[in-house]
Amino acid sequence: MFKYTKAALDLTVKEIKKFYHIFKFSSLLISIAYFIFCIISKTGILWINIAVIALSFAYLIFSIITLKVEINKKVKKAGKRIYAWSKLLVKLISLAATIYGIYEMAVNEINALSIVLVTLMIILWVLQVLLEIIIEVMEHKLELFKSAFEKDI
């Protein structure tokens, strides 16, 4: 009876996750573009810019792998702690890149492109965090709704 409602809830969470991944990849690509721009315009510390680009690419690869690879329950259960710490570390790297971009823009010569890129980095990072929180709440509530529908039937 509530089969379509359950499917609609699953689809809603799936769509929110899709938007989250779009924001995450957009944020990564904009931060990589900003630091490539910094290297080309010779602003900031060269080795830090290169390190941030390398870490951003590593984050991009990690995100694509964890998005595309379905992790079975045994591996997920055994490696849940490692996965959680890796995900947190990657988030901190993304935040550090954003903060370094703001610092670099404040210390060095300001131009319109750097302002636009840093602003986009900040906005997309905040939206990424907000969407992640929404997804966590929705997934928790989704299971609650599904169990409530099971009890109603």
Side-chain angles (χ1 to χ4, degrees), residues 13-47:
V13 171
K14 188 176 180 181
E15 289 294 318
I16 292 173
K17 284 183 181 181
K18 188 189 303 183
F19 283 120
Y20 165 73
H21 292 300
I22 289 169
F23 279 113
K24 180 169 67 172
F25 292 131
S26 299
S27 174
L28 277 172
L29 293 175
I30 287 173
S31 65
I32 289 170
Y34 173 73
F35 289 109
I36 289 173
F37 170 74
C38 288
I39 290 174
I40 292 170
S41 66
K42 296 181 176 141
T43 57
I45 303 168
L46 179 66
W47 67 271

Side-chain angles (χ1 to χ4, degrees), residues 32-106:
I32 289 170
Y34 173 73
F35 289 109
I36 289 173
F37 170 74
C38 288
I39 290 174
I40 292 170
S41 66
K42 296 181 176 141
T43 57
I45 303 168
L46 179 66
W47 67 271
I48 292 179
N49 289 338
I50 293 170
V52 170
I53 289 172
L55 289 172
S56 296
F57 272 121
Y59 180 26
L60 184 65
I61 291 168
F62 175 80
S63 297
I64 290 171
I65 289 171
T66 56
L67 178 66
K68 292 295 180 184
V69 174
E70 290 208 16
I71 303 171
N72 65 21
K73 291 193 181 211
K74 288 181 184 176
V75 172
K76 197 169 186 179
K77 203 172 211 179
K80 191 173 186 179
R81 211 173 240 185
I82 294 169
Y83 178 77
W85 280 103
S86 299
K87 195 172 176 183
L88 180 63
L89 178 65
V90 164
K91 288 255 182 267
L92 290 176
I93 290 169
S94 176
L95 177 62
T98 303
I99 291 172
Y100 177 68
I102 295 168
Y103 167 77
E104 191 170 290
M105 189 182 74

